[in-house]
Amino acid sequence: MNSVVCRFCSTKLEDTVVDLGMSPLCESYLAADQLDRMEPFYPLKVWVCRKCYLVQLSEYVKVEEIFNEYAYFSSFSSAWLKHAEEYVAKMTDQLELGPKSFVVELASNDGYLLQYFVQRNIPCLGIEPAANVAKAARERGVTTEVVYFHEQTAKEMRDAGKMADLVLGNNVLAQIPDVNSFVAGLPIILKPTGTVTFEFPHLMRMLDENQFDTIYHEHFSYFSLLSVEAIFAKHGLTVFDVEELWTHGGSLRIFARHASDQSRPVSQRVLELRKREDAAGYKKIETYTRFDERVKETKRKLLELLIDAKRAGKRIAGYGAPGKGNTLLNYCGIRTDFIEFTVDRNPYKHGRFLPGTHIPIFPPEKLDELKPDYILILPWNLKDEIMAQLAHTRSWGAKFIVPIPEATLL
Ligand SMILES: [Zn+2]
């Protein structure tokens, strides 16, 4: 393989954070007639840059293969909708947005967030590359352009007079292979006193809590405050505030402005988080490279648990079919030899099979029919909610396996 370079600073990459082997695209659920066909697998190897400390995957898969038709509709999650509505109320208030303002969301999905600006009569525009979700946004009354955002698109928007008071992006920054061109576009469409906000999973939470299953091909970069500040600074933007959120296992919401806009000083919260990352060793390469051994040990522990269960003649099922489950199962080599089937509440997935492992997906009632002895919870971040929902399975003696942060039997 050719040598790989940092997508931000072009330094040659030499240090591995974790190598999860070969894995299929985690959202490519298979229909029954696809099971006998060849299935593409791509490397899932994460690097860290020695110079800027950006944690990243190479662009093993072209972004168009992943995002042109996207199965994820943000509006399916009521918790996420509430999060969006609260954000809109807060920003409208803080930035005093009104009928003369203009808001742009990058990767606006099905209009899950911008609909709340529409309700308040605040002009807005969604930028969304996946045509199928953009269509859902338009049906909801949210003006949406089907296009990839980068420096050139930004110039076209500016020339068309589409300058924004607020530019936002939720869970998109990680999914951009050419992060420089994307971030360079932001100041171009931002009014002189405008605000940029982005939400993304915080690398510190991933490393601290062993969330290696949040690594998949769709996520090209994994940001700390340290690395994101460096990228924004290079493109003339200053991160002036930050919030820590519960979403996606622990996220950051950063607030940025033009570096030349002196009206808002860098907040105490930014200074405090910078200090915390520094104290945790985020400017030392070993902080990143030691992750690999912890991930391997988690695999060994989980397999031990499953092997013991099978030797004792137990039946094991899964609960949930989230994208992250596919990273975990493929990395650990867990197929139908351990997990007979999994169940999920999303009807789109019923009758389909998990990519790579070919574990079948059924409606939740299948658990009551087959009464497995063990249930492996794949969306472990929701384990309390799921164990409460499945409390009745205790009646036949079922136990739960939670794989992360450490494989545990509950
Ligand atoms: Zn770099």
Side-chain angles (χ1 to χ4, degrees):
M1 184 179 165
N2 299 328
S3 68
V4 279
V5 298
C6 174
R7 65 166 38 87
F8 169 53
C9 76
S10 300
T11 301
K12 186 170 175 249
L13 296 174
E14 301 178 69
D15 304 282
T16 305
V17 179
V18 64
D19 186 351
L20 299 172
M22 300 290 286
S23 221
L25 294 182
C26 74
E27 295 289 341
S28 51
Y29 297 91
L30 304 172
D33 64 356
Q34 291 175 299
L35 294 179
D36 293 338
R37 293 191 210 153
M38 190 169 73
E39 198 178 351
F41 276 59
Y42 305 88
L44 206 44
K45 182 173 180 177
V46 184
W47 303 87
V48 59
C49 173
R50 280 186 185 190
K51 190 172 168 214
C52 71
Y53 300 105
L54 180 62
V55 170
Q56 56 199 291
L57 280 182
S58 284
E59 192 186 356
Y60 297 114
V61 191
K62 285 286 163 219
V63 75
E64 292 80 7
E65 283 180 50
I66 304 174
F67 295 117
N68 280 354
E69 174 89 15
Y70 205 41
Y72 186 75
F73 286 76
S74 298
S75 295
F76 282 169
S77 160
S78 50
W80 186 239
L81 281 179
K82 184 162 172 282
H83 178 72
E85 190 174 9
E86 286 170 1
Y87 167 87
V88 170
K90 187 180 148 167
M91 296 311 284
T92 303
D93 206 35
Q94 242 176 44
L95 304 178
E96 298 176 357
L97 300 174
K100 289 187 176 154
S101 310
F102 190 52
V103 176
V104 173
E105 184 180 14
L106 307 174
S108 50
N109 202 274
D110 58 4
Y112 74 101
L113 185 143
L114 289 179
Q115 62 178 338
Y116 300 115
F117 281 118
V118 172
Q119 281 172 16
R120 289 167 183 262
N121 290 318
I122 297 169
C124 58
L125 172 67
I127 302 290
E128 172 53 57
N132 63 328
V133 284
K135 184 165 168 277
R138 288 183 186 137
E139 282 162 6
R140 194 173 257 135
V142 176
T143 310
T144 305
E145 286 182 22
V146 178
V147 66
Y148 282 94
F149 183 81
H150 45 70
E151 206 171 350
Q152 190 50 39
T153 337
K155 283 177 183 161
E156 286 160 22
M157 288 171 71
R158 178 196 60 197
D159 295 346
K162 293 172 185 163
M163 298 290 286
D165 299 275
L166 172 63
V167 181
L168 72 121
N170 290 336
N171 300 306
V172 57
L173 209 50
Q175 304 184 351
I176 304 298
D178 188 351
V179 71
N180 279 316
S181 179
F182 183 89
V183 176
L186 302 174
I188 296 173
I189 58 163
L190 188 67
K191 287 182 186 170
T193 56
T195 304
V196 172
T197 77
F198 275 94
E199 291 179 27
F200 49 85
H202 189 193
L203 176 69
M204 193 180 222
R205 302 294 294 276
M206 178 179 114
L207 295 184
D208 282 356
E209 290 157 37
N210 199 26
Q211 302 170 0
F212 67 88
D213 59 348
T214 60
I215 296 165
Y216 27 84
H217 297 103
E218 287 85 336
H219 290 174
F220 298 106
S221 305
Y222 302 81
F223 298 100
S224 58
L225 179 65
L226 173 76
S227 58
V228 86
E229 280 198 281
I231 296 168
F232 274 54
K234 188 188 169 201
H235 297 287
L237 294 165
T238 300
V239 176
F240 68 90
D241 202 6
V242 63
E243 290 173 6
E244 291 175 75
L245 310 171
W246 57 271
T247 48
H248 297 274
S251 295
L252 294 184
R253 177 188 287 156
I254 55 163
F255 297 74
R257 53 162 168 79
H258 285 287
S260 54
D261 169 14
Q262 299 291 329
S263 62
R264 287 165 291 182
V266 174
S267 75
Q268 206 53 45
R269 288 195 291 207
V270 172
L271 303 179
E272 188 274 328
L273 184 54
R274 265 189 214 157
K275 233 184 248 171
R276 201 151 22 103
E277 285 188 351
D278 208 1
Y282 278 66
K283 290 177 185 164
K284 289 188 201 128
I285 209 79
E286 315 80 70
T287 305
Y288 303 88
T289 52
R290 65 174 177 235
F291 189 56
D292 192 57
E293 184 49 38
R294 184 169 180 200
V295 172
K296 285 177 185 154
E297 180 55 21
T298 307
K299 173 177 179 170
R300 292 189 286 256
K301 276 196 186 138
L302 178 58
L303 285 174
E304 255 169 17
L305 247 169
L306 296 174
I307 290 168
D308 288 348
K310 290 314 277 186
R311 284 225 171 96
K314 306 288 186 192
R315 299 186 73 173
I316 314 172
Y319 185 89
K324 65 165 111 188
N326 295 321
T327 292
L328 178 84
L329 297 171
N330 279 290
Y331 168 63
C332 294
I334 298 167
R335 286 179 278 273
T336 49
D337 44 0
F338 288 112
I339 308 289
E340 288 176 50
F341 64 93
T342 190
V343 298
D344 198 275
R345 292 163 87 180
N346 181 351
Y348 167 83
K349 294 177 180 171
H350 297 159
R352 291 179 190 262
F353 296 79
L354 299 184
T357 59
H358 296 189
I359 294 169
I361 310 165
F362 295 113
E365 297 74 51
K366 197 78 175 175
L367 291 176
D368 303 275
E369 189 189 319
L370 295 180
K371 298 187 169 50
D373 303 293
Y374 291 93
I375 300 168
L376 173 66
I377 300 179
L378 294 168
W380 48 263
N381 50 317
L382 306 174
K383 71 173 187 326
D384 294 334
E385 193 185 322
I386 291 167
M387 283 165 53
Q389 269 170 31
L390 298 181
H392 67 285
T393 63
R394 299 287 196 190
S395 68
W396 69 78
K399 291 192 171 114
F400 298 104
I401 302 172
V402 179
I404 284 175
E406 305 302 337
T408 314
L409 198 59
L410 294 171

